[in-house]
């Protein structure tokens, strides 16, 4: 891998971020409705009286620069994004967009990262065993179940899990992330957080299990006829070593690529799960921003998602030669 290749990938990274942030600026403004008027309508729908609503809308539009020409708003948006100044949220005013995202980010990282990694590891192992000759017969009986799981949308699984384990049996809470706001780290606090996160994590794991297993099964089938496996068997190596070190290790490369993208897009993919369980993560924050037409918060969340996806792909592309020495980047 040469420095020229590294610089080209960095240039592509910044080009993708610039293009995505431009689309991120345009799309929210194509949606109908006024963000400040939407906030006032929400207040009035709850029975609150708002005096001088039109004057408030006018002042807020001037405060947030929504009456400026579009090219002026775009230039200000790009300049502020470079400084990581994403402005103030309209629906959470006077809280800034950055603080709102940072407040929701730990919840999403804790929920999505752990559940995605669990689904990836368990699904990849099951998928490899499905394709491996001589694996237990009980594993092969899981194939139809995994195909069904891969076809069910994750938000539908969330509703099924919510009904069975929260509404019907009452074993788990209907939603939320904690019973009492966590103050410090102790075993009761961690237990309460894990107790509330179990159902949303279970729905994400079940939704990803079939995808990872079927993907790994296809990749494993492609490596079964390779010469290095026949050579390893001829040397008399143990079947477990051949399975993990030779077959599964080489079949994992496409899975690792998909994992990097899945981790980068995890927050956006959890919107409906977090909404279904009222979980205070990035997805729930984006849902509230879309409901109230909060341009700045929508742009901030989308900008964060663009950066994470682009950065995950960049890191993966630079690490691929280390994962597989056969790959050369010139």
């Amino acid at each position: 891998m040469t420095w020229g290749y590294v610089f080209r990938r960095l240039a592509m990274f910044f080009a993708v971020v610039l293009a995505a942030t431009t689309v991120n600026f345009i799309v929210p403004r194509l949606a109908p409705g006024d963000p400040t008027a939407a906030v006032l309508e929400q207040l009035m729908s709850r029975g609150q009286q708002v005096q001088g609503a039109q004057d408030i809308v006018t002042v807020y539009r001037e405060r947030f620069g929504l009456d400026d020409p579009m090219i002026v708003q775009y230039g200000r948006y790009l300049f502020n994004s470079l400084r990581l100044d994403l402005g103030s949220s309209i629906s959470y005013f006077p809280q800034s967009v950055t603080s709102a995202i940072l407040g929701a980010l730990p919840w999403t990282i804790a929920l999505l990262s752990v559940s995605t990694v669990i689904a990836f590891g368990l699904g990849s192992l099951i998928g490899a065993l499905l394709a491996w000759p001589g694996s237990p017969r009980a594993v092969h009986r899981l194939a139809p179940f995994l195909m069904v799981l891969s076809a069910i949308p994750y938000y539908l699984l969330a509703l099924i899990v919510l009904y069975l384990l929260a509404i019907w049996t009452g074993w788990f809470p209907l939603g939320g992330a904690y019973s009492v706001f966590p103050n410090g780290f102790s075993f009761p606090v961690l237990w309460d957080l894990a107790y509330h996160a179990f159902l949303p994590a279970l729905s994400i794991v079940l939704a990803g299990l079939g995808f990872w297993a079927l993907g790994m099964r296809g990749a494993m089938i492609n490596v079964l006829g390779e010469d290095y496996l026949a050579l390893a068997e001829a040397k008399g190596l143990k079947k477990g070593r051949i399975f993990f070190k030779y077959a599964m290790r080489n079949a994992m490369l496409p899975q690792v690529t998909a994992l990097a993208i899945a981790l980068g897009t995890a927050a956006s993919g959890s919107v409906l799960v977090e909404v279904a369980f009222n979980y205070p993560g990035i997805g729930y924050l984006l849902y509230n921003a879309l409901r109230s037409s909060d341009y700045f918060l929508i742009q901030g969340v989308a900008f964060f998602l663009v950066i994470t996806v682009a950065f995950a792909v960049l890191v993966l592309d630079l690490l691929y030669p280390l994962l597989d020495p056969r790959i050369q980047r010139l």
Side-chain angles (χ1 to χ4, degrees):
M1 183 170 56
T2 62
W3 283 108
Y5 173 77
V6 174
F7 290 138
R8 286 196 300 271
R9 286 297 297 123
L10 288 173
M12 186 179 298
F13 167 78
F14 288 112
V16 168
V17 171
L18 177 62
T21 50
T22 301
V23 175
N24 182 30
F25 172 82
I26 296 173
V27 170
R29 286 162 175 77
L30 296 178
D34 183 271
T36 54
V39 174
L40 295 178
E41 289 174 2
Q42 288 183 11
L43 294 176
M44 289 185 288
S45 66
R46 299 169 188 165
Q48 300 184 24
Q49 298 296 325
V50 180
Q51 302 294 332
Q54 188 57 46
D55 294 336
I56 294 175
V57 170
T58 302
V59 171
Y60 265 66
R61 288 188 63 85
E62 182 179 355
R63 164 66 178 80
F64 290 103
L66 298 177
D67 290 328
D68 293 336
M70 196 64 66
I71 187 66
V72 175
Q73 295 185 45
Y74 177 67
R76 182 169 57 236
Y77 166 68
L78 286 183
F79 177 72
N80 291 334
S81 296
L82 290 175
R83 299 187 299 128
L84 297 181
D85 179 10
L86 303 178
S88 299
S89 169
I90 297 176
S91 54
Y92 292 91
F93 188 80
Q95 186 178 16
S96 67
V97 171
T98 303
S99 63
I101 293 176
L102 292 178
L105 185 59
W107 300 103
T108 295
I109 291 178
L111 175 65
L112 271 299
S113 299
V114 174
S115 55
T116 301
V117 170
I118 291 175
F120 168 79
L122 187 58
S124 297
L125 179 60
I126 294 175
L129 290 172
L130 284 174
W132 188 250
S135 57
R137 184 172 298 180
V139 176
H140 293 278
R141 293 175 182 171
L142 294 175
F145 174 70
L146 295 172
M147 291 180 182
V148 172
L149 280 182
S150 64
I152 300 178
Y154 66 93
Y155 51 86
L156 184 56
L157 276 173
L159 295 178
I160 295 173
V161 167
L162 182 64
Y163 175 75
L164 292 178
L165 299 180
I167 298 176
W168 188 36
T169 62
W171 292 345
F172 293 93
L174 290 172
Y178 43 81
S179 300
V180 181
F181 189 80
N183 186 12
F185 288 98
S186 62
F187 180 76
V189 170
L190 294 177
W191 175 260
D192 184 60
L193 294 176
Y195 178 63
H196 283 79
F198 180 80
L199 288 188
L202 178 63
S203 63
I204 295 171
V205 169
L206 290 177
L209 195 62
F211 168 78
W212 294 115
L214 295 180
M216 186 63 182
R217 179 178 178 271
M220 195 74 168
I221 290 174
N222 290 331
V223 304
L224 286 181
E226 295 293 337
D227 294 337
Y228 54 81
L229 290 183
L231 179 61
E233 291 179 358
K235 287 182 176 180
L237 299 180
K238 294 182 179 180
K239 289 186 177 181
R241 184 178 180 185
I242 297 174
F243 174 76
F244 286 105
K245 189 172 182 180
Y246 292 89
M248 194 172 176
R249 178 183 177 184
N250 288 281
M252 284 288 289
L253 292 176
Q255 295 285 95
V256 173
T257 303
L259 176 63
I261 298 175
L263 289 175
T265 58
S268 60
S270 67
V271 173
L272 295 181
V273 171
E274 292 185 354
V275 171
F277 291 98
N278 195 26
Y279 200 80
I282 294 291
Y284 191 75
L285 186 70
L286 179 59
Y287 168 74
N288 287 331
L290 291 171
R291 279 200 316 167
S292 58
S293 299
D294 191 340
Y295 294 164
F296 303 101
L297 189 53
I298 294 172
Q299 289 173 177
V301 174
F303 179 74
F304 166 76
L305 296 178
V306 166
I307 292 294
T308 54
V309 174
F311 184 74
V313 174
L314 172 65
V315 171
L316 177 69
D317 214 15
L318 296 179
L319 290 179
Y320 235 122
L322 301 178
L323 298 175
D324 188 356
R326 296 172 299 176
I327 299 175
Q328 293 184 356
R329 302 297 193 189
L330 302 176

